[in-house]
Amino acid sequence: FMGKSKNNKKPMHPENGWTEEASMSAAGVREDETYDQNEEAPDSHIYDVCIVGAGPHGLSVLSALHSQDAALTEAQRKIRRPKNSRAGKSLSVCVVDVSGVWLSNWNRNFTALDIKWLRSPLLAHPDANDAAALLEYAEREQRLDEIREVDLSCSCLAGQVDLEVGLYSLPSSALFYDFCQELSTKLTHDFVSGRVDSVDRDSNGSSYTITFTNDVPALRSRQIVYARGVVGGPQIPLPFCTSFDDRKNILHTTECDRFEEIVEDDTVLVIGGGLSAAQAALLAVSKGAKETILCSRRPLTTRQFDVPLNWVNPRENRGCRYEFFGLPDEEKTKWVSKVRGGGSIPKDYMHRLVAAEQAGRLKLVVGEVESCEVVPTGGLCVKSSGQSIYTTRVVLATGSTPHGVSDSLCTSLAKKFSLPMEGGYPVLSDGLQWGSENFYVTGALALLRLGPDASNLMGARRGAQLCASELGTFEELHNQGSVFSNRYNALMIDSEC
């Protein structure tokens, strides 16, 4: 669903027509400027911030950085001094992603699984200026029919203003995608299409050189934000580890390009108990598979969001965060796993699963997978709690490795710069800074500071604002005795933002 709005501009780098004038502008310098002898020369092209990742988390950071600048008056803009940047200049930002476009992986995954609606509410989006921006976009584009109401009137959210105005309704995937594309065109940045190979500290000690695995020239930046929603490789249950290497009959939901392999003659066995498992099973049903079986370790449970409602409720979420922040880092991963409570499925998906089962198109099985063997006919025999299930194709909806150990960039940075890790996650400051370097982390890898919602859209918005508090702080901003403080005070940020 490559939406109704215009796509973002093409990536910019020297091989794609990045002229000298454009690159000077990207670094935040002009030909008529004069420079202190201690400042970098104009041809250094050093960005203030480089965001690695062009998904919702990266776009949220970009929006948060620019929103601080947009909030100032013209008079304030002339006298402000952005942190780690030249006085009176806006932050120059570069976004790096191997795809070359915004939300590429997000769009590919949603399209492959035929996901029509988001699980996150309308208020969870990358625009850092206005929680109602996505709703306003739908009204402006006359696309209110792409918003689905959710009945939360009997929940702890009852009486909340945001609930009354519809901000807990669900947007369609196409609406969210188009909104993000439009937002990206409004935010000044350069986009480099490349996969990061290495990061090295420059000799000046105040910037870093980023090199790429493909034929893209290296770039330099004073600060780096690593923003990813999903990290690590697929989690493969032990019974499938040997047969998974064959890859002929087994696929993982992270391999979205392989869903086209499911055909009408298939007997499809989906392993998992969360939303991805439900989506994969319903996809197999819609593709006309001869038989579809969904096998989960425990009975399927329903929950509207992927975190408990008290983490979404602004009246309760601060208490939840205080409890989380009070724990030592080594205990937080287990605490998060307990809070999240394993996989869950929204009610509308559960209704669709039950309807498919009643129609004879789907079979729901509860059991622990014990083994998987190839049978002479070319299919697979999967044993679950003593029951043999014969299938021609297995779909593993078992999630991704939930830490940075399997993330090559994360591990290389930790090793090269001796950065602290705990339980596979970076140990971050309250402002999401990693160690003493000018590295910042948001998204799934920021779990030790953001909590259970680190990887979802609500966590993306909150993490971006915390990063902006550090990266976009305007120092020495005075106006006749008044001090303009950073608009993102960490203690004032609610988790729904």
Side-chain angles (χ1 to χ4, degrees), residues 1-11 54-56 59-60 62 99-108 125-127 134 137 140-141 143 173-189 191:
F1 47 79
M2 296 294 288
K4 302 177 183 177
S5 298
K6 295 181 179 179
N7 291 330
N8 187 25
K9 61 184 180 181
K10 293 182 179 179
L59 184 58
S60 297
L62 180 64
S99 68
V101 293
W102 284 103
L103 272 68
S104 173
N105 288 336
W106 186 94
N107 185 64
R108 185 171 66 252
H125 57 75
D127 191 325
L134 181 51
Y137 173 81
R140 185 173 69 252
E141 298 295 319
R143 295 173 67 176
S173 302
L175 179 69
F176 180 83
Y177 178 83
D178 291 344
F179 168 79
C180 291
Q181 295 302 313
E182 181 182 271
L183 176 63
S184 69
T185 64
K186 297 178 179 179
L187 304 173
T188 303
H189 67 286
F191 203 127

Side-chain angles (χ1 to χ4, degrees), residues 22-285:
S23 59
M24 289 176 67
S25 174
V29 296
R30 296 195 307 267
E31 293 181 359
D32 60 351
E33 291 181 350
T34 59
Y35 301 90
D36 184 273
Q37 61 180 355
N38 294 322
E39 290 185 328
E40 298 291 341
D43 61 354
S44 296
H45 309 318
I46 300 181
Y47 291 96
D48 291 313
V49 182
C50 174
I51 302 172
V52 180
H57 291 263
L59 184 58
S60 297
V61 173
L62 180 64
S63 175
L65 291 174
H66 282 300
S67 66
Q68 296 205 33
D69 187 41
L72 300 176
T73 66
E74 186 62 30
Q76 295 168 7
R77 205 169 280 119
K78 291 179 180 179
I79 61 175
R80 78 195 183 319
R81 179 177 300 168
K83 182 180 180 181
N84 294 328
S85 182
R86 296 184 179 90
K89 301 296 167 189
S90 299
L91 292 171
S92 60
V93 184
C94 175
V95 177
V96 172
D97 192 273
V98 66
S99 68
V101 293
W102 284 103
L103 272 68
S104 173
N105 288 336
W106 186 94
N107 185 64
R108 185 171 66 252
N109 293 335
F110 271 57
T111 301
L113 283 168
D114 195 27
I115 303 173
K116 302 297 187 184
W117 301 91
L118 266 67
R119 188 177 193 177
S120 298
L122 272 172
L123 54 75
H125 57 75
D127 191 325
N129 273 317
D130 183 7
L134 181 51
L135 176 59
E136 294 168 357
Y137 173 81
E139 292 175 342
R140 185 173 69 252
E141 298 295 319
Q142 298 182 350
R143 295 173 67 176
L144 291 175
D145 59 329
E146 296 185 52
I147 295 176
R148 173 184 288 178
E149 293 186 7
V150 178
D151 184 10
L152 297 171
S153 58
C154 296
S155 71
C156 64
L157 294 172
Q160 292 288 319
V161 175
D162 288 344
L163 180 64
E164 298 299 326
V165 299
L167 291 183
Y168 283 97
S169 299
L170 306 182
S172 73
S173 302
L175 179 69
F176 180 83
Y177 178 83
D178 291 344
F179 168 79
C180 291
Q181 295 302 313
E182 181 182 271
L183 176 63
S184 69
T185 64
K186 297 178 179 179
L187 304 173
T188 303
H189 67 286
D190 286 337
F191 203 127
V192 173
S193 177
R195 185 185 301 277
V196 176
D197 181 44
S198 65
V199 177
D200 297 284
R201 188 187 301 111
D202 292 339
S203 58
N204 60 18
S206 62
S207 61
Y208 302 89
T209 294
I210 302 171
T211 57
F212 302 91
T213 57
N214 48 346
D215 296 329
V216 175
L219 63 84
R220 300 171 68 191
S221 179
R222 295 179 176 87
Q223 298 161 115
I224 299 173
V225 179
Y226 194 29
R228 291 188 61 187
V230 178
V231 296
Q235 287 194 118
I236 309 301
L238 186 60
F240 297 96
C241 287
T242 301
S243 51
F244 187 71
D245 293 335
D246 183 14
R247 296 295 184 103
K248 181 180 179 180
N249 303 98
I250 303 174
L251 63 92
H252 194 275
T253 49
T254 57
E255 302 174 293
C256 57
D257 295 336
R258 295 188 59 197
F259 282 109
E260 62 185 19
E261 299 175 11
I262 299 176
V263 295
E264 291 185 359
D265 291 336
D266 271 335
T267 297
V268 180
L269 172 62
V270 180
I271 306 295
L275 179 55
S276 294
Q279 291 165 339
L282 291 170
L283 178 66
V285 169

Side-chain angles (χ1 to χ4, degrees), residues 412-426:
S412 65
L413 290 176
K415 182 177 181 180
K416 179 179 292 186
F417 295 96
S418 300
L419 299 173
M421 300 279 289
E422 177 59 51
Y425 292 93

